[in-house]
Amino acid sequence: MSQRPSQWRVNDAVLYDALREEARVALAGLLVSGEAHDASVADRIAQARLELYDVNGFDRGEVVTKLNAIHNAGLARG
């Protein structure tokens, strides 16, 4: 077992997991939308995935900003 302490605190991991869940819900919403067969949806999904992968999980501010952006855009749950 590693002796190095993790850079993540427990609440950071929970927050990052919430971001991933919101992103999954948003992507699922795009897939089941009426426009699901439109090529632009595939582009939007690819872009959303890239943006999620670009988030630095160790940067709490960046995680919160991205989580709020997904939530406020109505992409998740709506």
Side-chain angles (χ1 to χ4, degrees), residues 8 12 15 55-65:
W8 276 26
D12 291 340
L15 186 62
V55 172
N56 178 356
F58 295 111
D59 185 341
R60 184 178 187 81
E62 187 176 347
V63 171
V64 169
T65 298

Side-chain angles (χ1 to χ4, degrees), residues 8 11-29 45 48-58 62-71 75-77:
W8 276 26
N11 58 352
D12 291 340
V14 171
L15 186 62
Y16 187 73
D17 192 47
L19 170 62
R20 291 174 46 116
E21 179 62 23
E22 287 291 311
R24 281 191 291 267
V25 170
L27 294 176
I45 289 171
R49 290 180 72 189
L50 283 174
E51 289 175 11
L52 176 64
Y53 296 147
D54 283 343
V55 172
N56 178 356
F58 295 111
E62 187 176 347
V63 171
V64 169
T65 298
K66 186 63 179 173
L67 183 58
N68 287 335
I70 292 172
H71 185 73
L75 295 175
R77 318 235 190 281

